[in-house]
Amino acid sequence: MNVKALAFAMAAGAVLPAFSKVTGVADLNVKGDDYALEAGAKFNGLSITGEYVVDTAKNSAKEFTGTAKYRYDIGEQFYLEPVISYTRSFKDKVYADGPSGYQYRPIDTTKMGLKGGWNSDFGLYAAARYRYEMGGLESKDLASIGGEKGKEETRKVHRTDLTFGYQFEKVTAQYNWVHKKAKQDEFLFANGKKSSNTHEVKFAYTDLGSFTPYVEFSFEEKGKTNTVTKKKESKDSVKVGMQFTY
């Protein structure tokens, strides 16, 4: 199954550009122990991609995500972009003890969202996106009555993104604020709360034609206090990658 998923991601970008007016797109990036390859194609406003992620720390496949989105241009500067994606998790789907008296296991995820954006004619741009996520984790209440099995619940998350950026002569600088809010009490984030905020700063070099190298810094709210170090655990990360079209 893992080999098939990787083959699909690569074939999506290699085969579709054979048709007229189709542009192949790809993104290869590294974030911590995760190595990701995304490939696909764009045709007019339609974009279809597949992303395959490998966890090098565990030397195993982590997940595969298929995404479809369509961009509706409104005049020359505004656009709307609905998107839907499905993530197939390759992790062992077994329950493990978690916080607050619950057990959790990884499951597949479905995401649906809508993005609206604005592009100026002098380099400045902005966008806002809302996305509803179902899955990723499933919980089971350990408490039982009369020996009956505990209740199972799938995680549901509301995500909002606000993006601002500027295209300089050779470099694009972008800031993105991510707010996530879990619908249920048992699905808390790393900060121990039902909601979290992440700040992403991205720089891309755009003077290499079809190739665009980039680096992205992610700063997330501190996690729960480590009982050993007595310090808040950091969720900050760095992603380095290369996007290209063909």
Side-chain angles (χ1 to χ4, degrees):
M1 174 63 73
N2 299 353
V3 176
K4 291 181 179 179
L6 177 59
F8 175 81
M10 298 179 67
V15 176
L16 290 178
F19 299 94
S20 61
K21 298 182 179 180
V22 176
T23 302
V25 294
D27 187 326
L28 180 63
N29 63 74
V30 179
K31 182 178 180 180
D33 296 322
D34 291 345
Y35 283 64
L37 169 64
E38 183 178 27
K42 293 182 179 180
F43 175 73
N44 292 332
L46 177 65
S47 175
I48 299 177
T49 59
E51 182 186 47
Y52 184 74
V53 181
V54 175
D55 186 343
T56 57
K58 298 180 180 180
N59 196 28
S60 64
K62 183 177 181 178
E63 62 188 26
F64 173 79
T65 301
T67 302
K69 54 187 177 182
Y70 190 86
R71 174 166 165 161
Y72 298 92
D73 289 322
I74 304 174
E76 297 182 355
Q77 296 181 313
F78 296 92
Y79 66 89
L80 287 177
E81 187 176 68
V83 58
I84 185 169
S85 67
Y86 183 82
T87 299
R88 171 75 167 87
S89 175
F90 297 132
K91 296 179 181 179
D92 292 334
K93 293 179 174 58
V94 294
Y95 282 104
D97 291 338
S100 305
Y102 292 96
Q103 285 188 327
Y104 300 89
R105 69 173 181 176
I107 61 173
D108 298 347
T109 310
T110 300
K111 305 173 184 178
M112 297 176 290
L114 178 64
K115 180 179 180 180
W118 165 77
N119 295 312
S120 72
D121 54 5
F122 55 88
L124 184 66
Y125 63 91
R129 182 184 69 175
Y130 168 77
R131 189 170 77 189
Y132 184 60
E133 304 177 1
M134 298 173 288
L137 284 177
E138 185 176 62
S139 75
K140 181 169 63 174
D141 192 341
L142 294 179
S144 59
I145 301 176
E148 296 180 0
K149 184 179 180 180
K151 179 183 178 182
E152 296 180 349
E153 186 74 23
T154 299
R155 181 177 65 178
K156 299 178 180 64
V157 174
H158 300 278
R159 170 172 171 158
T160 305
D161 291 61
L162 294 178
T163 306
F164 301 92
Y166 192 88
Q167 174 64 62
F168 296 93
E169 183 178 355
K170 297 182 180 181
V171 176
T172 296
Q174 177 179 289
Y175 165 76
N176 186 47
W177 172 71
V178 181
H179 177 73
K180 293 182 179 181
K181 184 176 181 179
K183 186 176 179 180
Q184 306 103 314
D185 292 333
E186 62 265 43
F187 294 106
L188 303 180
F189 294 99
N191 59 6
K193 303 177 182 178
K194 284 181 61 177
S195 63
S196 72
N197 295 291
T198 302
H199 306 275
E200 300 172 343
V201 180
K202 181 178 180 180
F203 299 96
Y205 187 73
T206 59
D207 197 38
L208 295 177
S210 299
F211 297 88
T212 304
Y214 66 88
V215 58
E216 180 180 278
F217 303 93
S218 179
F219 308 95
E220 189 174 347
E221 286 183 339
K222 302 299 182 181
K224 291 183 177 180
T225 302
N226 188 297
T227 56
V228 178
T229 63
K230 303 301 180 181
K231 295 181 180 180
K232 290 286 186 178
E233 296 182 354
S234 174
K235 298 293 289 183
D236 300 344
S237 61
V238 179
K239 179 191 290 187
V240 179
M242 173 77 74
Q243 297 175 335
F244 54 96
T245 59
Y246 52 95

